[in-house]
Amino acid sequence: MLKLNREGLRDVDAWKKAGIALPEFDLEKMESETNSDPQWVHFGTGNIFRAFPAVMQQKLLERGIVKTGIIAVKTYDWKTIDEMFAPFDNLSLVVIMEPDGRLDMKVVGSICTTLAGDPAHEAHWKRLNEIFRAPSLQMVSFTITEKGYSLRNISGEYSEEILEDMTHGPRKPQHAMSKAAALAYTRFKSGRLPFAFVSMDNCAHNGDRLKASLVEIAGHWETNGLVEKGFVAYLEDPSLVSFPWTMIDKITPRPSDRVRETLNSLGLGTGKTLETEKHSFIAPFVNAERAEYLVIEDSFPNGRPPLELAGTYFTDRETVDRVERMKVGTCLNPLHTSLAVFGCLLGYTLIADEMKDPALKKLVEKIGFEEGMPVVEDPGIISPREFIREVIEERLPNPNIPDSPQRIAMDTSQKVGIRFGGTIRAYRDRNGLDPSGLKYIPLVIAAWCRYLMGLDDRGNPMPLSPDPLLESLCPHLDGIRIGEPSTGEGRLRPILSNSGVFSLDLYDVGLGKKIEGYFSEMIEGPGAVRKTLDKHLS
């Protein structure tokens, strides 16, 4: 019986027989070095962190390039530390799922400790403040999802957590951003010590998003006398506190039953998959694809780990921005969203299965190569054409990645403006291009509107994935009936003209009526979504 803890790792032969690689560095020495001279704190202990940044740091530890590990912080759901980290001595099992079915398995031990980022856990909060006082601290990174940076609710007002945090100051923060601001204040009071706040979340200009939230909170605190004067200036001084932009890309879906069964057959009990209060799924193992990209603006006032030796691209801000736009606006995310909305409507539960559908495969090829490539900016460090080829031919068709259209369809209202709006604007603004000539991007937008009806292609009720704008968008589709296209006339205008969703009015660029036409075809009767898809992709 293999045991995923430090004592269990002593049975080296058993792990080798099972085909699972072990950390090739001294875990106890790493822990000692990290505790005495902490360099890297990371907020968010989810799948992408454990399968990507933590693995990169392990590579450096194994080569003797660095001596310290990562201090991981849970800002919410921190009671899961007792279920998913403490019993395994902060070890994780990372499983790379190859397209041919092979599983490349390794134990990752670069996480020194996992702390609750919450004043309610007094001992952990005290330790975190000690770490932020350490002159050795170089980087505080985040993978807390894009929503983690938002201070406001759907109506644009401060959330209840933020209102309380604004009132009480850094003493007992509740929101993730308030906690980060409070810890930065500890570092400010310790002599204005330098460091970098590094968002690794999948959103454009993520460093600016993080900075804006922290500065807004700090500004309220300073104005109300809850912190010392100069704290905001400290956060806004890039020679002391930097907020580099980054682009991260690696698919790490929820724990796979197939991987769990394989691990159990090897004698490694994996326990249960835990659904957190924030509706993420976590297990002692992480399954992921092989492909991975991390591009970071090289701005670190107190130095940084040499992650370029583990595959990270360090570059300037402009290049990060071009890579981000390449991925999010052309080469990956628009393809994902296209598969998500059509997949839900057509009853698919795996992205890989969708890629076996000739019409859907052709759809993403058309959106990427035909409509996106003419306006993509080549970042220089990564080839857009090679990137999208890898996405379409290797990554999306991987049958061993249990990624679902239902997962990807989450928060689509927050994504469509980014994933398609940039391309539409580029067509509008460049000579020789006309957005009204686009065919496949508007087809996907029409399918998303059809998806918002909550009915699949057969006309049966279909659960919608979580999205903060469902309550405001779905009522526009009330009363539209399958088999009666006339009931949809004029009903999409409030959605398609909403610049808050698409970052422009789709009628102004000649796409509103086209999308309405596609939508009308999709509600002609049961099976109309499939009929419309096949018609326009034939």
Side-chain angles (χ1 to χ4, degrees):
M1 183 71 176
L2 298 174
K3 293 187 179 298
L4 187 62
N5 54 38
R6 292 197 181 182
E7 181 63 30
L9 296 193
R10 298 182 188 278
D11 193 353
V12 176
D13 290 340
W15 289 92
K16 184 176 181 180
K17 184 178 179 181
I20 302 174
L22 298 181
E24 296 179 2
F25 62 91
D26 189 321
L27 292 168
E28 283 73 22
K29 186 175 180 181
M30 177 275 292
E31 184 175 6
S32 175
E33 294 278 2
T34 306
N35 286 331
S36 60
D37 291 297
Q39 295 182 344
W40 185 354
V41 171
H42 184 87
F43 284 79
T45 59
N47 294 334
I48 195 167
F49 163 64
R50 292 185 292 155
F52 196 178
V55 171
M56 299 181 89
Q57 187 71 351
Q58 172 141 314
K59 292 177 182 177
L60 300 182
L61 284 162
E62 290 179 333
R63 293 163 60 186
I65 297 171
V66 300
K67 297 180 180 179
T68 60
I70 306 172
I71 297 161
V73 180
K74 288 280 292 181
T75 53
Y76 293 103
D77 301 321
W78 51 262
K79 293 180 182 178
T80 60
I81 292 173
D82 295 333
E83 297 181 62
M84 288 295 161
F85 292 93
F88 307 101
D89 295 331
N90 295 299
L91 300 171
S92 292
L93 184 64
V94 173
V95 181
I96 301 300
M97 307 176 77
E98 304 286 11
D100 63 5
R102 290 181 297 113
L103 300 179
D104 182 3
M105 301 174 283
K106 70 173 67 176
V107 174
V108 175
S110 60
I111 301 173
C112 170
T113 188
T114 307
L115 298 174
D118 195 317
H121 197 308
E122 293 183 10
H124 283 198
W125 188 247
K126 179 181 178 181
R127 175 59 184 142
L128 263 178
N129 277 274
E130 291 171 354
I131 291 165
F132 270 74
R133 294 187 188 100
S136 58
L137 183 62
Q138 297 177 327
M139 177 166 74
V140 179
S141 53
F142 297 78
T143 51
I144 59 174
T145 77
E146 184 174 358
K147 291 181 288 187
Y149 304 97
S150 178
L151 309 184
R152 293 171 171 79
N153 55 31
I154 296 172
S155 62
E157 300 172 342
Y158 283 130
S159 67
E160 291 184 11
E161 276 188 331
I162 286 295
L163 285 173
E164 290 190 26
D165 290 344
M166 294 292 197
T167 301
H168 298 137
R171 191 167 46 88
K172 287 187 177 182
Q174 301 178 70
H175 192 281
M177 292 295 95
S178 305
K179 293 170 181 177
L183 291 165
Y185 183 57
T186 293
R187 194 159 181 81
F188 165 78
K189 291 191 298 179
S190 300
R192 292 173 168 79
L193 297 173
F195 72 120
F197 267 131
V198 185
S199 169
M200 295 181 180
D201 277 298
N202 188 18
C203 52
H205 305 173
N206 45 18
D208 286 354
R209 292 282 300 274
L210 174 57
K211 180 179 180 179
S213 294
L214 296 185
V215 168
E216 186 168 357
I217 292 167
H220 276 268
W221 289 349
E222 191 170 308
T223 298
N224 295 314
L226 298 170
V227 296
E228 296 175 13
K229 294 290 185 182
F231 180 41
V232 172
Y234 167 70
L235 292 176
E236 292 185 322
D237 185 343
S239 69
L240 295 174
V241 184
S242 66
F243 295 84
W245 293 3
T246 73
M247 189 287 289
I248 192 167
D249 179 27
K250 188 177 184 71
I251 297 174
T252 54
R254 64 187 293 177
S256 161
D257 289 337
R258 176 188 168 233
V259 170
R260 184 187 301 282
E261 290 167 4
T262 299
L263 296 175
N264 288 342
S265 72
L266 294 172
L268 181 64
T270 56
K272 63 180 180 179
T273 295
L274 181 68
E275 181 176 4
T276 69
E277 294 176 9
K278 296 292 181 179
H279 305 295
S280 60
F281 295 86
I282 188 170
F285 66 91
V286 180
N287 38 249
E289 64 172 344
R290 172 70 64 185
E292 59 187 24
Y293 297 88
L294 180 58
V295 184
I296 304 179
E297 177 189 355
D298 200 356
S299 176
F300 291 81
N302 199 33
R304 59 168 175 77
L307 291 171
E308 68 273 19
L309 301 178
T312 295
Y313 297 87
F314 283 100
T315 184
D316 55 63
R317 173 167 287 201
E318 291 71 24
T319 302
V320 175
D321 193 34
R322 287 196 295 270
V323 174
E324 174 70 24
R325 291 202 301 270
M326 178 199 77
K327 169 188 174 266
V328 173
T330 306
C331 295
L332 175 59
N333 297 53
L335 314 189
H336 250 161
T337 293
S338 302
L339 293 172
V341 294
F342 272 108
C344 291
L345 288 166
L346 298 176
Y348 283 102
T349 57
L350 285 177
I351 293 295
D353 287 343
E354 289 189 74
M355 292 300 289
K356 299 173 186 176
D357 185 318
L360 290 173
K361 184 173 186 291
K362 190 173 182 180
L363 175 67
V364 295
E365 290 172 340
K366 290 286 189 180
I367 289 174
F369 286 117
E370 190 170 304
E371 295 190 336
M373 204 57 66
V375 296
V376 71
E377 289 192 58
D378 188 339
I381 61 175
I382 299 172
S383 163
R385 190 163 290 275
E386 175 56 27
F387 187 94
I388 200 169
R389 183 209 62 77
E390 181 186 52
V391 167
I392 291 176
E393 296 182 11
E394 300 175 23
R395 299 176 66 183
L396 295 179
N398 187 339
N400 298 296
I401 296 294
D403 212 0
S404 70
Q406 290 75 23
R407 183 190 76 85
I408 297 169
M410 291 177 62
D411 303 327
T412 300
S413 70
Q414 311 298 290
K415 301 170 182 174
V416 286
I418 300 168
R419 298 184 178 189
F420 300 119
T423 296
I424 295 171
R425 288 194 303 275
Y427 271 75
R428 179 195 64 189
D429 298 339
R430 293 191 187 184
N431 291 332
L433 295 175
D434 182 359
S436 67
L438 292 168
K439 178 178 180 180
Y440 305 103
I441 288 175
L443 184 66
V444 174
I445 294 173
W448 176 55
C449 293
R450 171 65 180 80
Y451 162 88
L452 291 173
M453 291 177 64
L455 300 173
D456 65 19
D457 194 25
R458 294 170 294 179
N460 297 325
M462 173 186 70
L464 299 180
S465 299
D467 187 311
L469 293 188
L470 288 182
E471 290 185 3
S472 60
L473 293 174
C474 291
H476 294 302
L477 303 167
D478 288 347
I480 299 177
R481 293 184 292 276
I482 303 297
E484 299 181 41
S486 62
T487 60
E489 292 180 5
R491 303 297 299 279
L492 301 188
R493 181 171 284 274
I495 299 175
L496 303 182
S497 63
N498 189 334
S499 60
V501 173
F502 293 102
S503 71
L504 76 170
D505 184 327
L506 293 176
Y507 291 91
D508 289 345
V509 293
L511 288 178
K513 290 297 183 181
K514 178 178 286 189
I515 294 168
E516 286 183 2
Y518 287 145
F519 180 82
S520 183
E521 292 179 39
M522 292 180 186
I523 61 172
E524 286 182 351
V529 173
R530 165 57 70 182
K531 183 179 178 181
T532 304
L533 179 67
D534 290 343
K535 171 186 173 182
H536 294 286
L537 271 301
S538 61

